[in-house]
């Protein structure tokens, strides 16, 4: 029985392969000089090979399950007027193309490449320059966006000079109401958000580099059970925002050089039951900002040379902060509460001055990560001008001896004597 089924499937696949064909598009001496014309003659399973050149064809609509392959990186130019390509079929592969100069609209979400209500599509090894939205997926699933180079039109310094707002720019990779999507090894810069997820579930963001974006390197909204691993977020308006979300797994990402008056490496806003593991927060204004974060584990991360390592509001509860390294931050932890509804244990604090008489690697004296000055700056921001003054040193010393203002229960009872190696 199994052999008969295998034979039937083999015959049908052979017939399918034998009937699929390759259509070539180029500017001269080819089957087709137009991509739209080639698509009209193609059938499901065919391959379009587009030769090197510049193609200005308005919006190219792909309504058949075909492969579109570029040879020598042909350029599809939207002339700053059109959406460049819209995919409306399943099982489409797009590789080796350059998308540039898409149109721009505040009414429609015009993109260089838009994919609507599709599944099992692949966008790989393409280049995107000077587009409003670069890649836009809506109501799609089981797609892969991999190894693309995406650079938008925005330069933050020039924006500041011209007074242009972030709403004048779209996102690099934008997903809306999607599921089972893989975003892998892409470079994204100079957009509003590098990567944007809204109502996206069960998806993976892995190995991407998102930098110099106006707002966020990565932005989550109402997106559950997603994973992001081994990504780098640097020099963005803010690194990553995870908002109104549950069951998010964040591992081995780098949040670095995200500087500004209201800037952070990672913003957690209304998230629950998540895991933050093996990440590096380096030289951010605020490493991690937590607002209404509940039942989340923050474990084995490095917070190095940030302004504030962790700013955590009193509505963040039942979280575990353990085995992290806090190294040379201006403030390790600040909060706006006299109480501590979270657990801090076995972290390394570079400014810890305790001793370890029994040589078990754990300090004999508990460590209080919230300083009096940190409390003041959180509640009275203007006091930051007193940073590192002798007066503040005396206040902190008195507060450690006779704690009155800082949360008495916010304490690491088992501070590590050496950095935790992970």
């Amino acid at each position: 029985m199994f052999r008969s089924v295998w034979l039937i499937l083999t015959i049908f696949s052979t017939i399918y392969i034998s009937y699929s064909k390759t259509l070539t598009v180029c500017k001269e001496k080819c089957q087709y000089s137009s991509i739209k014309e080639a698509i009209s003659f193609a059938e499901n399973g065919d391959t379009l090979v587009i030769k090197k050149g510049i193609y200005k064809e308005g919006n190219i609509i792909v309504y058949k399950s075909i492969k579109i392959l570029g040879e020598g990186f042909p350029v599809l130019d939207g002339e700053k007027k059109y959406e460049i390509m819209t995919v409306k079929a399943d099982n489409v592969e797009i590789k080796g193309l350059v998308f540039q100069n898409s149109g721009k609209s505040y009414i429609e979400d015009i993109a260089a490449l838009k994919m609507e209500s599709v599944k099992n599509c692949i966008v790989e090894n393409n280049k995107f320059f000077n587009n409003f939205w670069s890649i836009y997926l809506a109501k799609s699933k089981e797609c892969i966006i991999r190894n693309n180079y995406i650079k938008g039109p925005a330069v933050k310094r020039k924006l500041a000079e011209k007074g242009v707002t972030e709403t004048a720019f779209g996102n690099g990779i934008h997903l809306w109401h999607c599921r089972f999507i893989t975003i892998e090894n892409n470079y994204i810069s100079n957009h509003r958000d590098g990567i944007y997820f809204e109502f996206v579930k069960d998806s993976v963001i892995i190995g991407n580099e998102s930098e110099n974006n106006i707002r966020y390197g990565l932005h989550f909204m109402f997106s559950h059970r997603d994973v992001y691993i081994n990504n780098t977020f640097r020099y963005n308006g803010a690194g990553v925002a995870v908002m109104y979300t549950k069951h998010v797994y964040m591992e081995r990402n780098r949040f670095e050089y995200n500087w500004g008056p209201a800037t952070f490496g990672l913003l957690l806003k209304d998230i629950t039951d998540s895991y933050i593991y093996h990440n590096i927060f380096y030289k951010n204004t605020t490493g991690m900002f937590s607002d209404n974060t509940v039942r989340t584990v923050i474990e084995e991360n490095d917070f190095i040379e940030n302004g504030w390592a962790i700013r955590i509001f009193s509505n963040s509860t039942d979280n575990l902060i353990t085995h992290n390294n806090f190294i040379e931050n201006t403030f390790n932890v600040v909060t706006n509460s006299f109480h501590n509804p979270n657990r801090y244990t076995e972290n390394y604090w570079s400014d810890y001055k305790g001793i370890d008489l029994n040589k078990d690697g754990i300090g004999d004296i508990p460590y209080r990560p919230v300083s009096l000055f940190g409390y003041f700056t959180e509640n009275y921001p203007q006091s930051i001008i007193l940073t590192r003054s002798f007066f503040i040193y005396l206040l902190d010393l008195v507060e450690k001896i006779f704690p009155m203002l800082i949360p008495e229960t916010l304490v690491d009872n088992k501070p590590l004597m050496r950095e935790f190696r992970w």
Side-chain angles (χ1 to χ4, degrees), residues 159 163-169 214:
L159 284 176
V164 180
T165 64
E166 63 187 32
T167 56
F169 300 90
I214 303 166

Side-chain angles (χ1 to χ4, degrees), residues 205-221:
I205 301 171
I206 183 169
N208 301 279
E209 186 174 351
S210 183
E211 66 178 6
N212 283 313
N213 296 290
I214 303 166
R215 189 168 62 175
Y216 302 123
L218 168 64
H219 192 182
F220 270 48
M221 296 279 285

